[in-house]
Every structure is written in C-alpha cells, then in structure tokens.
Amino acid sequence: MAADRILRYTKWVALIIIPFLVVAWFLLYLLPGYTEQLFAWTIQLPLSAMFLGSAYLGGIVFFVNVLRPNTWHRVRHGFPAVLVFATLLSIATFLHWDKFHHGHISFIVWVTLYIVTPFLVLGVLIVNRGQDPGVPDERDYALPLIVRVVLAAIGLCALVAGLFLFFSPQQTIAVWAWPLTPLTARVVGAVLTLPGMVNLWMLWDARWSAFRWVFQAQLASLVFIVAALGIRHDDLLWERPSAALFVGGMVFSLVAYAGFYAWCDWRARALAPRAEPL
C-alpha cells in the first residue's frame, strides 16, 4: 500500500511559494490603490487587485497546510488547480508583456515566479504520484454521490466561465460586474478556475478528508472576496445584471461552503469509531 505521505520536495516548494503569496496578498489586498508604485503592473481598479489578493490568501492557507504533518491525499487535489492557475498567469504575462513595469523588482519576481511555478508544481504531482492509497482516514466521511455531482457541476461552471474570461476577454469585458482590462479579465478568469479544478475531482473521490483542507483555502478566499465586494461596492457596475448576480453568487457560495464544511465535519465526527468501554 502507498505510504500516503508528502515528500520533502513538496514541502520545499510550499516553503518557497508562501513568502511570495504573503507579499502579493499584502500589496494587492491592503494597498490596492498603489499597484502602479508597488506591483508588477498597474491595476486601475482596486476591486480587481483585491480579487486577485483574495486568491493569494487562499493559496497561503493551502500551502501552510502542505507544511503541516499531514498526508498526501489531504492536499493532492489542490495541486492541479494551482498548476492551471499558475500556467494561465504565465501565459497572460507574455500576452500582455507591454503592460508590466519592466525593471521593477515586483515585475522581476512576478515573471520569475510564473515561469518557474508551473514546473515546480508539475514536479510535485510527478514525485508524489502513487502516494495516495485511496483509503479514507479513520475519522472520515464518504460524500454522497448527489452532493459530489452538484459540487462538480458548480465547479465545471466556474471552470468554463474562467476559461471563457481568459480566452475571450473582449467579449466578457462588456458584461462583467466591474470594469476590466484584457489583462485583468484573464487574471479574474484564472482565479475562477481554482474552485472549478478542485470540485471536479469529487466525481472520482468521495473522501471528505481529501477535500477538507482545500476547502479551508476556498473558504478563506471567499471571505476576503465578499469583504472586498463590500469595501469596494462603488467599483461595481450596478446597472449591469452581472453585478448583482456576482455579489449574490459570492455571498451564497460563502454561506453554502461554510455550511457544507461544518456538515461534513459533523458527519465525520459522528461516524468516527468510538473506543470500547473498559
């Protein structure tokens, strides 16, 4: 049987990535109006900066969990999502090369990170292949098929929307909930692929333990996205139906995901084996 452990290489990757995520979150979420001076490119609308910063906050939570003394199957479904996200941002960088602050330290770090990270994450998936034995934890819960299908369908919608934003930014800019440029449209699209890539794995894996810590990262992102929508509500184009739909969808997703997380944890505790009385 596979050892179900996170290999040292994977933890080193997490250690390398976390500091960059922390700095990016700080700059984009707490100082969204200063991207021209501090970031790799100028993000005109603070809401777009905070949206990307929220994704980085989720990444911090995810990679911190990778560093914990845990098992590979608890984090494995997060890495394909990170691979797609990093690859899309790498492509977006070269598609919009002229928009970046060439020579700025943030630009140098950004380009280095998004050239290297896809290969580092691909390496994680390769070196850890075969580490998951496919068995549930002792305190685990088997997600019902109907729940997994619904969440996978939601994930597929997010993935399709994200890819459409990325590959057809001009068509979506005119109807999006807040003003976007082609570059920020592609960045928002890349962010939307993250939950999509995670949820699709539920079609093949029913173990709650395989998604619990990845869902912690998604919940962290959702909390900060909803907060950003409240803080920067004036950035939204309320005359467009997409604004109310997006805000409502994010609030509903936060409540639903939090409820789902609590319910699954409760079921896992309820079904856990109890010690025999002495």
Side-chain angles (χ1 to χ4, degrees):
M1 181 179 291
D4 199 9
R5 63 191 180 94
I6 299 175
L7 301 182
R8 185 174 299 175
Y9 167 80
T10 305
K11 292 186 178 291
W12 275 111
V13 169
L15 277 171
I16 291 169
I17 292 176
I18 287 173
F20 296 106
L21 295 177
V22 171
V23 173
W25 171 79
F26 180 85
L27 294 178
L28 292 173
Y29 203 90
L30 299 183
L31 302 171
Y34 295 90
T35 55
E36 183 173 0
Q37 297 85 3
L38 302 175
F39 199 56
W41 88 93
T42 301
I43 304 176
Q44 296 291 351
L45 204 67
L47 180 55
S48 292
M50 295 175 77
F51 189 80
L52 178 57
S54 299
Y56 287 140
L57 189 280
I60 294 168
V61 174
F62 172 71
F63 282 108
V64 166
N65 279 333
V66 172
L67 292 177
R68 294 173 62 181
N70 54 31
T71 50
W72 168 243
H73 88 270
R74 289 175 176 260
V75 296
R76 63 171 293 193
H77 296 318
F79 280 98
V82 174
L83 176 60
V84 171
F85 173 77
T87 301
L88 290 178
L89 287 192
S90 179
I91 294 170
T93 299
F94 290 101
L95 288 176
H96 300 278
W97 189 255
D98 61 315
K99 301 298 183 184
F100 286 82
H101 299 154
H102 299 277
H104 195 287
I105 182 62
S106 293
F107 167 75
I108 297 170
V109 171
W110 173 279
V111 171
T112 303
L113 191 64
Y114 283 110
I115 289 176
V116 173
T117 298
F119 295 100
L120 291 177
V121 175
L122 181 60
V124 167
L125 293 170
I126 292 172
V127 301
N128 287 279
R129 70 187 186 280
Q131 285 295 317
D132 183 359
V135 298
D137 279 354
E138 183 179 356
R139 297 173 65 89
D140 214 335
Y141 171 57
L143 300 171
L145 178 60
I146 183 63
V147 173
R148 293 188 284 125
V149 169
V150 169
L151 286 171
I154 294 171
L156 180 61
C157 291
L159 179 61
V160 170
L163 292 176
F164 189 79
L165 260 170
F166 188 88
F167 290 105
S168 300
Q170 294 294 353
Q171 279 113 336
T172 51
I173 286 173
V175 298
W176 193 249
W178 64 86
L180 296 175
T181 65
L183 175 53
T184 53
R186 287 192 160 105
V187 169
V188 170
V191 172
L192 291 178
T193 66
L194 288 167
M197 287 296 298
V198 170
N199 287 18
L200 285 178
W201 285 106
M202 290 185 167
L203 293 175
W204 296 276
D205 195 339
R207 298 169 296 177
W208 170 234
S209 62
F211 295 96
R212 183 174 183 267
W213 285 358
V214 183
F215 266 59
Q216 287 180 3
Q218 292 194 19
L219 276 169
S221 288
L222 281 169
V223 167
F224 278 77
I225 288 172
V226 170
L229 292 171
I231 294 168
R232 301 299 310 182
H233 60 90
D234 288 340
D235 290 347
L236 292 159
L237 300 172
W238 292 104
E239 66 274 13
R240 295 180 180 177
S242 57
L245 286 172
F246 188 86
V247 172
M250 289 297 102
V251 172
F252 174 80
S253 295
L254 175 58
V255 174
Y257 267 52
F260 174 72
Y261 183 95
W263 176 68
C264 289
D265 263 12
W266 173 75
R267 293 295 293 162
R269 288 193 298 270
L271 296 173
R274 291 180 172 81
E276 293 292 332
L278 298 176

